[in-house]
Amino acid sequence: MSAYDGATVVERMRNHWGGSTDHLYGVLVRELADDADRGGVVRDILRGHEDAPAGDMVQLRLLAGIHRIVLRGDAPGLARFYPSAGGTADRYAVWPALEPVLREHVDELREALDVAPQTNEVGRSVALLAGLSEAVRRTGLRRVRLLEPGASAGLNLLVDRFRFVGDGWAAGPEDAHLVLEGCGAPGFSPLSFEVVERRGCDLDPFDAMTEDGGAHLRSFVWPHMPERDGRLVAALAALRETPVVVDRAGAAEWVRKRLAEPVGDDVLTVVWHSITRQYWPRAEYAAMLAAIDEARPRVPVVRVALEDPEVLPESESWRPQVEVDDDVIGWCTHHGPPLELSRA
């Protein structure tokens, strides 16, 4: 079963990892769901969100809220179970340490349910690299204006500042702070490009240059995946050298305004988004696509995305797909590598 199964938040919480308890969060979602079912503090925290749509991922919002408490040092007893805080305690014994933290922070955790997941997972930039290479191949334009609606802190806008190492290929500066290993895609030969402008928007952007901003992003990284946390820390170092602008705005109108700006004939505009479609209202997403289509006669523009299929297959083996306009050119995981291309 998946995070999309079940009619209620509690059911989806219990099913998020298919019932697996191979890691801390697998145990936590089971314990949280059980407490909600018996009318405990979790039911109080979730009040008003019981029938939230699956795309809201309320279970991940709650886990992130708890993780923030751990990361800032306010729950030392619980931190013993979190690998991200150096904890090694038996995850199956976590509930006695977790319940008092939940009771002490009910209001904060309720507020956490209103904060959409913003992992800004930089591993997804491998999909952007593949999409950019295909866009350059199709248009012959190598100077790129990169726009990202739903950018969170805008870390993936630094794709040209990261290094990628795949099966028989590599791309990006050798002295990059972030090196993504294991990118897969044998036979891939990335085309070179120059990012001449980078900008994003988000409904709730924040400054990842600050300590609080960086900790906020880290809270959405699953604590049993230290390699993802390491990627994020490295990307934050890259951001300090190459700051990006992330405007507070909705996707469709922002894209429309950016595409109306003058740009050189030799510049390709790439509108990039990743694992955001499920969070946007359908009308907003449709309006963004319409804005891109309306701009095509005026400026060279390509949409590149890493998103779940709009209609999820019945098979559990599906993966997010790399889209270039209406074409699916490959697949990777929700966290990025390894990349598989439909053609090398």
Side-chain angles (χ1 to χ4, degrees):
M1 301 181 75
S2 77
Y4 297 91
D5 292 320
T8 69
V9 165
V10 173
E11 291 169 343
R12 291 195 296 270
M13 183 179 293
R14 181 175 283 112
N15 295 334
H16 193 93
W17 280 278
S20 170
T21 58
D22 289 344
H23 51 72
L24 175 64
Y25 268 11
V27 174
L28 284 185
V29 292
R30 184 185 65 181
E31 296 285 5
L32 292 167
D34 288 348
D35 184 72
D37 281 342
R38 59 179 175 256
V41 63
V42 177
R43 180 177 293 183
D44 292 337
I45 293 169
L46 294 176
R47 186 171 292 119
H49 294 268
E50 295 89 345
D51 299 315
D56 280 3
M57 291 293 179
V58 169
Q59 62 272 31
L60 295 185
R61 299 180 187 209
L62 177 55
L63 290 170
I66 298 168
H67 198 186
R68 282 195 286 278
I69 294 168
V70 170
L71 288 174
R72 70 172 183 249
D74 287 351
L78 183 57
R80 296 185 300 108
F81 298 87
Y82 275 70
S84 57
T88 58
D90 179 8
R91 61 185 177 277
Y92 294 102
V94 71
W95 180 249
L98 175 60
E99 184 181 29
V101 173
L102 299 177
R103 294 192 179 281
E104 291 168 13
H105 299 275
V106 169
D107 290 342
E108 177 181 348
L109 293 174
R110 282 177 177 160
E111 292 177 2
L113 301 186
D114 295 325
V115 180
Q118 295 194 29
T119 56
N120 216 162
E121 175 55 64
V122 290
R124 295 171 185 161
S125 59
V126 70
L128 175 56
L129 176 72
L132 278 170
S133 187
E134 177 64 13
V136 167
R137 185 189 68 80
R138 292 182 180 189
T139 64
L141 300 175
R142 294 179 182 269
R143 302 183 72 232
V144 173
R145 174 175 63 155
L146 186 57
L147 305 177
E148 183 181 11
S152 185
L155 295 181
N156 282 311
L157 290 165
L158 300 173
V159 59
D160 57 325
R161 299 292 189 261
F162 303 156
R163 183 155 181 83
F164 304 85
V165 181
D167 293 350
W169 61 272
E174 294 185 1
D175 61 348
H177 288 283
L178 174 61
V179 179
L180 281 172
E181 304 274 2
C183 290
F188 181 36
S189 181
L191 297 182
S192 62
F193 58 89
E194 176 191 3
V195 178
V196 298
E197 181 183 350
R198 64 189 93 225
R199 190 162 186 159
C201 78
D202 200 276
L203 289 176
D204 189 24
F206 59 93
D207 186 1
M209 301 277 285
T210 68
E211 184 175 346
D212 286 346
H216 183 88
L217 283 183
R218 290 185 64 204
S219 74
F220 286 105
V221 175
W222 300 343
H224 54 280
M225 293 184 167
E227 71 283 359
R228 290 179 58 208
D229 190 50
R231 291 175 186 172
L232 179 54
V233 170
L236 290 171
L239 182 67
R240 287 191 287 271
E241 292 183 355
T242 309
V244 299
V245 174
V246 180
D247 301 311
R248 185 178 298 275
E253 187 58 28
W254 182 84
V255 167
R256 188 181 305 278
K257 288 181 178 178
R258 297 285 78 80
L259 291 178
E261 295 171 345
V263 63
D265 293 339
D266 63 339
V267 174
L268 170 64
T269 298
V270 172
V271 179
W272 148 257
H273 56 92
S274 65
I275 317 298
T276 53
R277 185 158 57 201
Q278 68 195 54
Y279 300 113
W280 294 343
R282 288 186 175 273
E284 181 76 9
Y285 182 65
M288 185 192 72
L289 295 183
I292 294 172
D293 287 339
E294 290 167 8
R296 293 187 192 277
R298 303 192 308 271
V299 295
V301 58
V302 173
R303 182 183 67 89
V304 172
L306 175 68
E307 296 287 357
D308 294 342
E310 291 200 69
V311 178
L312 296 180
E314 294 184 4
S315 168
E316 293 186 7
S317 62
W318 60 269
R319 291 167 295 167
Q321 57 196 30
V322 184
E323 303 170 3
V324 177
D325 286 333
D326 293 329
D327 300 323
V328 175
I329 68 162
W331 305 266
C332 61
T333 77
H334 283 92
H335 305 139
L339 173 71
E340 177 186 351
L341 296 177
S342 57
R343 62 179 182 182

